Amino acid sequence: MKKIYLTTPIFYVNDSPHIGHAYTMLICDTLAKFFQLDGYEVLFTTGTDEHGMKVEKAANKKQIEPKVFVDKVSKNFVKLSKTLKISNTDFVRTTEERHKKAAKAFWEVLTENNQIYLSDYKGWYSVRDESFFLEKELEKRNNEFYTVDGEKVQWIEEESFFFKLSNWEDELLKYYDNNPEFISPSTRRNEVISFVKSGLKDLSISRTSFGWGIKVEKTSNHIMYVWIDALVNYLTSLNYPEMSEKSFLFWENSSHIIGKDILKFHAVYWPAMLMAAKLPLPKKIFAHGWWTNEGQKISKSIGNVIDPNDMIEKYGLDQLRFFLLREVTLGQDGDFSEQSFKTRINSDLSNNLGNLIQRALKFNNKNFSNKMPFELEKPNKDDLLFEVYNMYEKIKPDMDNYQISKALEKIFTLLNKLNKFMDKSEPWNSFKTNQEVAARDLSILIESFRVIGIILKPYIPDASEKILGFLNIKDESRDFKFIDFKYKLKKGHCINDPEPLFPRYE
Ligand code: MSP
């Protein structure tokens, strides 16, 4: 069986889950569902990033022990994964024993391979980003230094272990060159290449000034830099350091779906460390864009954070999925506005999809006693039904390239054509003069709904299952294999009465 391994970033637990977290989860879930329906064995992980200065500070502020704090707040992310009904096969917490074991083993291999040395770190650090900065990357205001995002940095000086990142410049560039698909979209790939070309410095990978992290063995006071700890989570789920042959097969076809802000860690540090540990690299790093809210950057201080729970309560899960997936090309930034949300849901989901199914099935059931009324013949190349069966072939290349919105655009263009077909064929009129013609046209629509119901499962799973339920399709006949004329609904097949799928918003 073909295998694929998809990962979301693991989330800092100091924050409440917001739309950005939900976005990454939903992208991965859509891809996971698509590949599963396509016959792949899928591993899909998400989780929480629970160590580091930022989390420790958040716990201190609440005057709770860090471990007690993270046990509590990581549940919010587990809850989000349940609310979003994502199909993750694992949830990694970096405070779990299996993860500590993996991170320590990874460190050990880097040490054995002579990739780590002890020295002193002096430089700027942003707690929010959990990242080191060079002075040239910062802005100076009133004798203080800030990141481009306006985050004040602090000066740190401490003993630290370093990873010999500078040794890997050429190897990385060679790898990007030989594997043009490794970093997507290509604009991000270019950014990474110029970053590496501008020169890499060795990376400070341990901290001694605080204690909330995974201990570096054989030292008294070093803990691992939180990003090293966090990146290893992708291997923890594959049971590193005891990865089986099967785990390696998943790893060979793995994709890290991340936000554009954490590209450097995934596309520079992580591959260099994997090379240094003599491990194969993941297949792909895909960086998605960021959402703004009504044109404004989303931030706690502005108070415009979008809570996915509120959105789901107000509009529904499929509606939220659809908007986020359809509105922007994966990789680009998107703007969230109530107006564009409602417009998108009304035009695509309520009118184009929901209303069409409702009208056709209601009319059919009333006039043809809840039965498929006609035995369809194999369609010719020019028939609309031919295009319907062909839709999977048409969107497969888009989905292989994670172009989710493009795939949805194609499916909804087809739905447009089905609407036009219904309007033009006017079964309510033909029924009065030639019932056979009305029966044939309705059957073309109903069979199309079967295919559309299957094909939309990765994107709007709840509605798809409902559509397939209206058509009485068995659970085991709902994957992509069944998008074929040989599995068509036969004349006489029972059809249930439809319920409304998507209410319209005013
Ligand atoms: N803990 C690190 C990741 C470690 S992975 C080995 C981290 N966590 S985070 O909680 O800050 O961010 C998680 C993800 O949420 C990132 O991919 C980030 O890009 C994404 N988003 C945060 N805000 C976002 C938006 N406004 N829009 C879209 N995604 C955003 O970074």
PDB file of all heavy atoms in Angstrom, residues 371-400:
ATOM      1  N   LYS A 371     -37.349   6.831  -6.162  1.00  0.00           N
ATOM      2  CA  LYS A 371     -36.534   5.804  -6.849  1.00  0.00           C
ATOM      3  C   LYS A 371     -35.660   6.471  -7.903  1.00  0.00           C
ATOM      4  O   LYS A 371     -36.033   7.489  -8.476  1.00  0.00           O
ATOM      5  CB  LYS A 371     -37.452   4.797  -7.572  1.00  0.00           C
ATOM      6  CG  LYS A 371     -38.321   3.970  -6.665  1.00  0.00           C
ATOM      7  CD  LYS A 371     -37.632   2.655  -6.387  1.00  0.00           C
ATOM      8  CE  LYS A 371     -38.153   1.917  -5.170  1.00  0.00           C
ATOM      9  NZ  LYS A 371     -39.513   1.982  -4.801  1.00  0.00           N
ATOM     10  N   MET A 372     -34.518   5.845  -8.179  1.00  0.00           N
ATOM     11  CA  MET A 372     -33.736   6.249  -9.352  1.00  0.00           C
ATOM     12  C   MET A 372     -34.604   5.877 -10.544  1.00  0.00           C
ATOM     13  O   MET A 372     -34.986   4.716 -10.710  1.00  0.00           O
ATOM     14  CB  MET A 372     -32.413   5.463  -9.337  1.00  0.00           C
ATOM     15  CG  MET A 372     -31.496   5.753 -10.479  1.00  0.00           C
ATOM     16  SD  MET A 372     -30.632   7.314 -10.178  1.00  0.00           S
ATOM     17  CE  MET A 372     -29.426   7.242 -11.489  1.00  0.00           C
ATOM     18  N   PRO A 373     -34.951   6.855 -11.402  1.00  0.00           N
ATOM     19  CA  PRO A 373     -36.010   6.576 -12.369  1.00  0.00           C
ATOM     20  C   PRO A 373     -35.563   5.994 -13.711  1.00  0.00           C
ATOM     21  O   PRO A 373     -36.401   5.662 -14.534  1.00  0.00           O
ATOM     22  CB  PRO A 373     -36.635   7.959 -12.582  1.00  0.00           C
ATOM     23  CG  PRO A 373     -35.546   8.926 -12.317  1.00  0.00           C
ATOM     24  CD  PRO A 373     -34.616   8.284 -11.339  1.00  0.00           C
ATOM     25  N   PHE A 374     -34.260   5.859 -13.940  1.00  0.00           N
ATOM     26  CA  PHE A 374     -33.816   5.547 -15.308  1.00  0.00           C
ATOM     27  C   PHE A 374     -32.525   4.740 -15.253  1.00  0.00           C
ATOM     28  O   PHE A 374     -31.690   4.933 -14.370  1.00  0.00           O
ATOM     29  CB  PHE A 374     -33.581   6.884 -16.035  1.00  0.00           C
ATOM     30  CG  PHE A 374     -33.330   6.781 -17.513  1.00  0.00           C
ATOM     31  CD1 PHE A 374     -34.395   6.735 -18.418  1.00  0.00           C
ATOM     32  CD2 PHE A 374     -32.027   6.754 -18.022  1.00  0.00           C
ATOM     33  CE1 PHE A 374     -34.157   6.659 -19.787  1.00  0.00           C
ATOM     34  CE2 PHE A 374     -31.783   6.676 -19.387  1.00  0.00           C
ATOM     35  CZ  PHE A 374     -32.864   6.638 -20.268  1.00  0.00           C
ATOM     36  N   GLU A 375     -32.361   3.833 -16.208  1.00  0.00           N
ATOM     37  CA  GLU A 375     -31.113   3.054 -16.297  1.00  0.00           C
ATOM     38  C   GLU A 375     -30.147   3.808 -17.221  1.00  0.00           C
ATOM     39  O   GLU A 375     -30.354   3.855 -18.440  1.00  0.00           O
ATOM     40  CB  GLU A 375     -31.438   1.652 -16.856  1.00  0.00           C
ATOM     41  CG  GLU A 375     -30.341   0.629 -16.700  1.00  0.00           C
ATOM     42  CD  GLU A 375     -30.055   0.272 -15.231  1.00  0.00           C
ATOM     43  OE1 GLU A 375     -31.006   0.158 -14.426  1.00  0.00           O
ATOM     44  OE2 GLU A 375     -28.863   0.140 -14.904  1.00  0.00           O
ATOM     45  N   LEU A 376     -29.132   4.407 -16.629  1.00  0.00           N
ATOM     46  CA  LEU A 376     -28.225   5.243 -17.439  1.00  0.00           C
ATOM     47  C   LEU A 376     -27.315   4.408 -18.328  1.00  0.00           C
ATOM     48  O   LEU A 376     -26.903   3.303 -17.944  1.00  0.00           O
ATOM     49  CB  LEU A 376     -27.353   6.106 -16.527  1.00  0.00           C
ATOM     50  CG  LEU A 376     -28.049   7.262 -15.828  1.00  0.00           C
ATOM     51  CD1 LEU A 376     -27.134   7.846 -14.740  1.00  0.00           C
ATOM     52  CD2 LEU A 376     -28.448   8.350 -16.818  1.00  0.00           C
ATOM     53  N   GLU A 377     -27.024   4.991 -19.495  1.00  0.00           N
ATOM     54  CA  GLU A 377     -26.063   4.323 -20.377  1.00  0.00           C
ATOM     55  C   GLU A 377     -24.701   4.968 -20.221  1.00  0.00           C
ATOM     56  O   GLU A 377     -24.589   6.110 -19.802  1.00  0.00           O
ATOM     57  CB  GLU A 377     -26.530   4.450 -21.823  1.00  0.00           C
ATOM     58  CG  GLU A 377     -27.562   3.399 -22.128  1.00  0.00           C
ATOM     59  CD  GLU A 377     -28.192   3.593 -23.479  1.00  0.00           C
ATOM     60  OE1 GLU A 377     -27.539   4.200 -24.365  1.00  0.00           O
ATOM     61  OE2 GLU A 377     -29.334   3.152 -23.640  1.00  0.00           O
ATOM     62  N   LYS A 378     -23.694   4.197 -20.605  1.00  0.00           N
ATOM     63  CA  LYS A 378     -22.329   4.711 -20.471  1.00  0.00           C
ATOM     64  C   LYS A 378     -22.203   6.023 -21.241  1.00  0.00           C
ATOM     65  O   LYS A 378     -22.545   6.095 -22.412  1.00  0.00           O
ATOM     66  CB  LYS A 378     -21.340   3.681 -21.013  1.00  0.00           C
ATOM     67  CG  LYS A 378     -19.969   3.910 -20.510  1.00  0.00           C
ATOM     68  CD  LYS A 378     -19.061   2.736 -20.716  1.00  0.00           C
ATOM     69  CE  LYS A 378     -17.765   3.194 -20.066  1.00  0.00           C
ATOM     70  NZ  LYS A 378     -16.768   2.338 -19.925  1.00  0.00           N
ATOM     71  N   PRO A 379     -21.707   7.083 -20.602  1.00  0.00           N
ATOM     72  CA  PRO A 379     -21.660   8.375 -21.290  1.00  0.00           C
ATOM     73  C   PRO A 379     -20.580   8.435 -22.375  1.00  0.00           C
ATOM     74  O   PRO A 379     -19.574   7.727 -22.294  1.00  0.00           O
ATOM     75  CB  PRO A 379     -21.327   9.365 -20.174  1.00  0.00           C
ATOM     76  CG  PRO A 379     -20.659   8.557 -19.132  1.00  0.00           C
ATOM     77  CD  PRO A 379     -21.212   7.173 -19.222  1.00  0.00           C
ATOM     78  N   ASN A 380     -20.821   9.272 -23.375  1.00  0.00           N
ATOM     79  CA  ASN A 380     -19.808   9.546 -24.407  1.00  0.00           C
ATOM     80  C   ASN A 380     -18.934  10.706 -23.965  1.00  0.00           C
ATOM     81  O   ASN A 380     -19.305  11.462 -23.061  1.00  0.00           O
ATOM     82  CB  ASN A 380     -20.491   9.924 -25.725  1.00  0.00           C
ATOM     83  CG  ASN A 380     -21.239   8.740 -26.282  1.00  0.00           C
ATOM     84  OD1 ASN A 380     -20.732   7.615 -26.270  1.00  0.00           O
ATOM     85  ND2 ASN A 380     -22.472   8.982 -26.729  1.00  0.00           N
ATOM     86  N   LYS A 381     -17.868  10.853 -24.682  1.00  0.00           N
ATOM     87  CA  LYS A 381     -16.876  11.908 -24.354  1.00  0.00           C
ATOM     88  C   LYS A 381     -17.488  13.294 -24.186  1.00  0.00           C
ATOM     89  O   LYS A 381     -17.024  14.087 -23.379  1.00  0.00           O
ATOM     90  CB  LYS A 381     -15.818  11.977 -25.455  1.00  0.00           C
ATOM     91  CG  LYS A 381     -14.580  11.154 -25.163  1.00  0.00           C
ATOM     92  CD  LYS A 381     -13.405  11.654 -25.981  1.00  0.00           C
ATOM     93  CE  LYS A 381     -12.060  11.379 -25.349  1.00  0.00           C
ATOM     94  NZ  LYS A 381     -11.803  10.080 -24.840  1.00  0.00           N
ATOM     95  N   ASP A 382     -18.522  13.604 -24.972  1.00  0.00           N
ATOM     96  CA  ASP A 382     -19.085  14.956 -24.912  1.00  0.00           C
ATOM     97  C   ASP A 382     -20.175  15.107 -23.858  1.00  0.00           C
ATOM     98  O   ASP A 382     -20.708  16.201 -23.654  1.00  0.00           O
ATOM     99  CB  ASP A 382     -19.701  15.337 -26.277  1.00  0.00           C
ATOM    100  CG  ASP A 382     -18.670  15.248 -27.368  1.00  0.00           C
ATOM    101  OD1 ASP A 382     -17.502  15.543 -27.055  1.00  0.00           O
ATOM    102  OD2 ASP A 382     -19.023  14.860 -28.496  1.00  0.00           O
ATOM    103  N   ASP A 383     -20.554  14.018 -23.213  1.00  0.00           N
ATOM    104  CA  ASP A 383     -21.646  14.098 -22.235  1.00  0.00           C
ATOM    105  C   ASP A 383     -21.162  14.707 -20.920  1.00  0.00           C
ATOM    106  O   ASP A 383     -20.017  14.491 -20.490  1.00  0.00           O
ATOM    107  CB  ASP A 383     -22.206  12.696 -21.940  1.00  0.00           C
ATOM    108  CG  ASP A 383     -22.901  12.119 -23.162  1.00  0.00           C
ATOM    109  OD1 ASP A 383     -23.267  12.911 -24.052  1.00  0.00           O
ATOM    110  OD2 ASP A 383     -23.039  10.883 -23.229  1.00  0.00           O
ATOM    111  N   LEU A 384     -22.091  15.404 -20.276  1.00  0.00           N
ATOM    112  CA  LEU A 384     -21.778  16.009 -18.979  1.00  0.00           C
ATOM    113  C   LEU A 384     -21.364  14.930 -17.968  1.00  0.00           C
ATOM    114  O   LEU A 384     -20.429  15.115 -17.173  1.00  0.00           O
ATOM    115  CB  LEU A 384     -23.019  16.781 -18.496  1.00  0.00           C
ATOM    116  CG  LEU A 384     -22.880  17.588 -17.223  1.00  0.00           C
ATOM    117  CD1 LEU A 384     -21.695  18.528 -17.272  1.00  0.00           C
ATOM    118  CD2 LEU A 384     -24.165  18.385 -16.963  1.00  0.00           C
ATOM    119  N   LEU A 385     -22.044  13.802 -18.010  1.00  0.00           N
ATOM    120  CA  LEU A 385     -21.737  12.736 -17.049  1.00  0.00           C
ATOM    121  C   LEU A 385     -20.307  12.209 -17.228  1.00  0.00           C
ATOM    122  O   LEU A 385     -19.654  11.789 -16.260  1.00  0.00           O
ATOM    123  CB  LEU A 385     -22.759  11.594 -17.209  1.00  0.00           C
ATOM    124  CG  LEU A 385     -22.835  10.588 -16.063  1.00  0.00           C
ATOM    125  CD1 LEU A 385     -23.038  11.250 -14.709  1.00  0.00           C
ATOM    126  CD2 LEU A 385     -23.978   9.589 -16.319  1.00  0.00           C
ATOM    127  N   PHE A 386     -19.827  12.263 -18.459  1.00  0.00           N
ATOM    128  CA  PHE A 386     -18.442  11.849 -18.723  1.00  0.00           C
ATOM    129  C   PHE A 386     -17.488  12.757 -17.936  1.00  0.00           C
ATOM    130  O   PHE A 386     -16.544  12.312 -17.283  1.00  0.00           O
ATOM    131  CB  PHE A 386     -18.154  11.940 -20.231  1.00  0.00           C
ATOM    132  CG  PHE A 386     -16.831  11.355 -20.616  1.00  0.00           C
ATOM    133  CD1 PHE A 386     -16.725  10.009 -20.961  1.00  0.00           C
ATOM    134  CD2 PHE A 386     -15.680  12.141 -20.624  1.00  0.00           C
ATOM    135  CE1 PHE A 386     -15.497   9.463 -21.304  1.00  0.00           C
ATOM    136  CE2 PHE A 386     -14.452  11.596 -20.965  1.00  0.00           C
ATOM    137  CZ  PHE A 386     -14.363  10.261 -21.306  1.00  0.00           C
ATOM    138  N   GLU A 387     -17.797  14.041 -17.997  1.00  0.00           N
ATOM    139  CA  GLU A 387     -16.982  15.022 -17.272  1.00  0.00           C
ATOM    140  C   GLU A 387     -17.045  14.781 -15.756  1.00  0.00           C
ATOM    141  O   GLU A 387     -16.069  14.963 -15.035  1.00  0.00           O
ATOM    142  CB  GLU A 387     -17.516  16.420 -17.603  1.00  0.00           C
ATOM    143  CG  GLU A 387     -16.475  17.492 -17.504  1.00  0.00           C
ATOM    144  CD  GLU A 387     -17.041  18.866 -17.857  1.00  0.00           C
ATOM    145  OE1 GLU A 387     -17.754  18.992 -18.880  1.00  0.00           O
ATOM    146  OE2 GLU A 387     -16.778  19.788 -17.089  1.00  0.00           O
ATOM    147  N   VAL A 388     -18.214  14.368 -15.310  1.00  0.00           N
ATOM    148  CA  VAL A 388     -18.388  14.102 -13.875  1.00  0.00           C
ATOM    149  C   VAL A 388     -17.465  12.958 -13.449  1.00  0.00           C
ATOM    150  O   VAL A 388     -16.709  13.068 -12.478  1.00  0.00           O
ATOM    151  CB  VAL A 388     -19.864  13.759 -13.568  1.00  0.00           C
ATOM    152  CG1 VAL A 388     -20.022  13.281 -12.123  1.00  0.00           C
ATOM    153  CG2 VAL A 388     -20.763  14.972 -13.822  1.00  0.00           C
ATOM    154  N   TYR A 389     -17.495  11.853 -14.200  1.00  0.00           N
ATOM    155  CA  TYR A 389     -16.638  10.718 -13.840  1.00  0.00           C
ATOM    156  C   TYR A 389     -15.159  11.081 -13.944  1.00  0.00           C
ATOM    157  O   TYR A 389     -14.321  10.475 -13.296  1.00  0.00           O
ATOM    158  CB  TYR A 389     -16.918   9.514 -14.753  1.00  0.00           C
ATOM    159  CG  TYR A 389     -18.240   8.842 -14.488  1.00  0.00           C
ATOM    160  CD1 TYR A 389     -19.145   8.604 -15.518  1.00  0.00           C
ATOM    161  CD2 TYR A 389     -18.591   8.432 -13.200  1.00  0.00           C
ATOM    162  CE1 TYR A 389     -20.356   7.990 -15.283  1.00  0.00           C
ATOM    163  CE2 TYR A 389     -19.807   7.816 -12.956  1.00  0.00           C
ATOM    164  CZ  TYR A 389     -20.688   7.597 -14.004  1.00  0.00           C
ATOM    165  OH  TYR A 389     -21.888   6.983 -13.758  1.00  0.00           O
ATOM    166  N   ASN A 390     -14.878  12.066 -14.801  1.00  0.00           N
ATOM    167  CA  ASN A 390     -13.492  12.438 -15.057  1.00  0.00           C
ATOM    168  C   ASN A 390     -12.916  13.412 -14.027  1.00  0.00           C
ATOM    169  O   ASN A 390     -11.728  13.713 -14.042  1.00  0.00           O
ATOM    170  CB  ASN A 390     -13.446  13.119 -16.439  1.00  0.00           C
ATOM    171  CG  ASN A 390     -12.173  12.778 -17.151  1.00  0.00           C
ATOM    172  OD1 ASN A 390     -11.553  11.752 -16.837  1.00  0.00           O
ATOM    173  ND2 ASN A 390     -11.758  13.637 -18.058  1.00  0.00           N
ATOM    174  N   MET A 391     -13.778  13.895 -13.136  1.00  0.00           N
ATOM    175  CA  MET A 391     -13.371  14.966 -12.218  1.00  0.00           C
ATOM    176  C   MET A 391     -12.204  14.541 -11.323  1.00  0.00           C
ATOM    177  O   MET A 391     -11.286  15.314 -11.067  1.00  0.00           O
ATOM    178  CB  MET A 391     -14.595  15.379 -11.384  1.00  0.00           C
ATOM    179  CG  MET A 391     -14.491  16.619 -10.561  1.00  0.00           C
ATOM    180  SD  MET A 391     -13.584  18.049 -11.156  1.00  0.00           S
ATOM    181  CE  MET A 391     -14.317  18.521 -12.655  1.00  0.00           C
ATOM    182  N   TYR A 392     -12.236  13.292 -10.884  1.00  0.00           N
ATOM    183  CA  TYR A 392     -11.143  12.827 -10.019  1.00  0.00           C
ATOM    184  C   TYR A 392      -9.793  12.947 -10.745  1.00  0.00           C
ATOM    185  O   TYR A 392      -8.823  13.471 -10.186  1.00  0.00           O
ATOM    186  CB  TYR A 392     -11.409  11.386  -9.565  1.00  0.00           C
ATOM    187  CG  TYR A 392     -10.171  10.697  -9.091  1.00  0.00           C
ATOM    188  CD1 TYR A 392      -9.627  10.999  -7.853  1.00  0.00           C
ATOM    189  CD2 TYR A 392      -9.526   9.758  -9.892  1.00  0.00           C
ATOM    190  CE1 TYR A 392      -8.458  10.406  -7.428  1.00  0.00           C
ATOM    191  CE2 TYR A 392      -8.366   9.153  -9.476  1.00  0.00           C
ATOM    192  CZ  TYR A 392      -7.826   9.478  -8.245  1.00  0.00           C
ATOM    193  OH  TYR A 392      -6.669   8.896  -7.840  1.00  0.00           O
ATOM    194  N   GLU A 393      -9.756  12.512 -11.996  1.00  0.00           N
ATOM    195  CA  GLU A 393      -8.511  12.606 -12.783  1.00  0.00           C
ATOM    196  C   GLU A 393      -8.078  14.063 -12.928  1.00  0.00           C
ATOM    197  O   GLU A 393      -6.893  14.368 -12.964  1.00  0.00           O
ATOM    198  CB  GLU A 393      -8.710  12.035 -14.204  1.00  0.00           C
ATOM    199  CG  GLU A 393      -8.988  10.544 -14.250  1.00  0.00           C
ATOM    200  CD  GLU A 393      -7.821   9.725 -13.701  1.00  0.00           C
ATOM    201  OE1 GLU A 393      -6.678  10.203 -13.756  1.00  0.00           O
ATOM    202  OE2 GLU A 393      -8.088   8.613 -13.190  1.00  0.00           O
ATOM    203  N   LYS A 394      -9.078  14.935 -13.015  1.00  0.00           N
ATOM    204  CA  LYS A 394      -8.761  16.347 -13.233  1.00  0.00           C
ATOM    205  C   LYS A 394      -8.175  17.026 -11.987  1.00  0.00           C
ATOM    206  O   LYS A 394      -7.341  17.912 -12.093  1.00  0.00           O
ATOM    207  CB  LYS A 394     -10.031  17.108 -13.660  1.00  0.00           C
ATOM    208  CG  LYS A 394     -10.119  17.248 -15.164  1.00  0.00           C
ATOM    209  CD  LYS A 394     -11.304  18.072 -15.562  1.00  0.00           C
ATOM    210  CE  LYS A 394     -10.930  19.460 -15.982  1.00  0.00           C
ATOM    211  NZ  LYS A 394     -12.085  20.203 -16.498  1.00  0.00           N
ATOM    212  N   ILE A 395      -8.655  16.596 -10.822  1.00  0.00           N
ATOM    213  CA  ILE A 395      -8.155  17.297  -9.622  1.00  0.00           C
ATOM    214  C   ILE A 395      -6.960  16.596  -8.977  1.00  0.00           C
ATOM    215  O   ILE A 395      -6.268  17.179  -8.161  1.00  0.00           O
ATOM    216  CB  ILE A 395      -9.256  17.497  -8.546  1.00  0.00           C
ATOM    217  CG1 ILE A 395      -9.772  16.159  -8.036  1.00  0.00           C
ATOM    218  CG2 ILE A 395     -10.372  18.379  -9.070  1.00  0.00           C
ATOM    219  CD1 ILE A 395     -10.584  16.297  -6.754  1.00  0.00           C
ATOM    220  N   LYS A 396      -6.728  15.371  -9.378  1.00  0.00           N
ATOM    221  CA  LYS A 396      -5.628  14.610  -8.741  1.00  0.00           C
ATOM    222  C   LYS A 396      -4.281  15.346  -8.839  1.00  0.00           C
ATOM    223  O   LYS A 396      -3.579  15.476  -7.826  1.00  0.00           O
ATOM    224  CB  LYS A 396      -5.590  13.213  -9.376  1.00  0.00           C
ATOM    225  CG  LYS A 396      -4.378  12.402  -9.014  1.00  0.00           C
ATOM    226  CD  LYS A 396      -4.688  11.382  -7.950  1.00  0.00           C
ATOM    227  CE  LYS A 396      -3.521  10.462  -7.700  1.00  0.00           C
ATOM    228  NZ  LYS A 396      -2.752  10.795  -6.499  1.00  0.00           N
ATOM    229  N   PRO A 397      -3.899  15.859 -10.027  1.00  0.00           N
ATOM    230  CA  PRO A 397      -2.614  16.573 -10.084  1.00  0.00           C
ATOM    231  C   PRO A 397      -2.591  17.807  -9.178  1.00  0.00           C
ATOM    232  O   PRO A 397      -1.565  18.111  -8.574  1.00  0.00           O
ATOM    233  CB  PRO A 397      -2.477  17.004 -11.547  1.00  0.00           C
ATOM    234  CG  PRO A 397      -3.547  16.314 -12.299  1.00  0.00           C
ATOM    235  CD  PRO A 397      -4.550  15.777 -11.344  1.00  0.00           C
ATOM    236  N   ASP A 398      -3.730  18.488  -9.046  1.00  0.00           N
ATOM    237  CA  ASP A 398      -3.778  19.655  -8.145  1.00  0.00           C
ATOM    238  C   ASP A 398      -3.546  19.206  -6.703  1.00  0.00           C
ATOM    239  O   ASP A 398      -2.793  19.832  -5.962  1.00  0.00           O
ATOM    240  CB  ASP A 398      -5.135  20.363  -8.228  1.00  0.00           C
ATOM    241  CG  ASP A 398      -5.413  20.881  -9.623  1.00  0.00           C
ATOM    242  OD1 ASP A 398      -4.459  21.358 -10.267  1.00  0.00           O
ATOM    243  OD2 ASP A 398      -6.570  20.790 -10.083  1.00  0.00           O
ATOM    244  N   MET A 399      -4.220  18.127  -6.316  1.00  0.00           N
ATOM    245  CA  MET A 399      -4.084  17.678  -4.935  1.00  0.00           C
ATOM    246  C   MET A 399      -2.680  17.134  -4.669  1.00  0.00           C
ATOM    247  O   MET A 399      -2.149  17.302  -3.571  1.00  0.00           O
ATOM    248  CB  MET A 399      -5.158  16.635  -4.606  1.00  0.00           C
ATOM    249  CG  MET A 399      -6.561  17.205  -4.581  1.00  0.00           C
ATOM    250  SD  MET A 399      -6.762  18.601  -3.440  1.00  0.00           S
ATOM    251  CE  MET A 399      -6.774  17.769  -1.849  1.00  0.00           C
ATOM    252  N   ASP A 400      -2.082  16.504  -5.681  1.00  0.00           N
ATOM    253  CA  ASP A 400      -0.697  16.038  -5.500  1.00  0.00           C
ATOM    254  C   ASP A 400       0.238  17.216  -5.248  1.00  0.00           C
ATOM    255  O   ASP A 400       1.273  17.067  -4.614  1.00  0.00           O
ATOM    256  CB  ASP A 400      -0.229  15.252  -6.736  1.00  0.00           C
ATOM    257  CG  ASP A 400      -0.816  13.841  -6.745  1.00  0.00           C
ATOM    258  OD1 ASP A 400      -1.190  13.345  -5.664  1.00  0.00           O
ATOM    259  OD2 ASP A 400      -0.917  13.243  -7.836  1.00  0.00           O
TER     260      ASP A 400
END
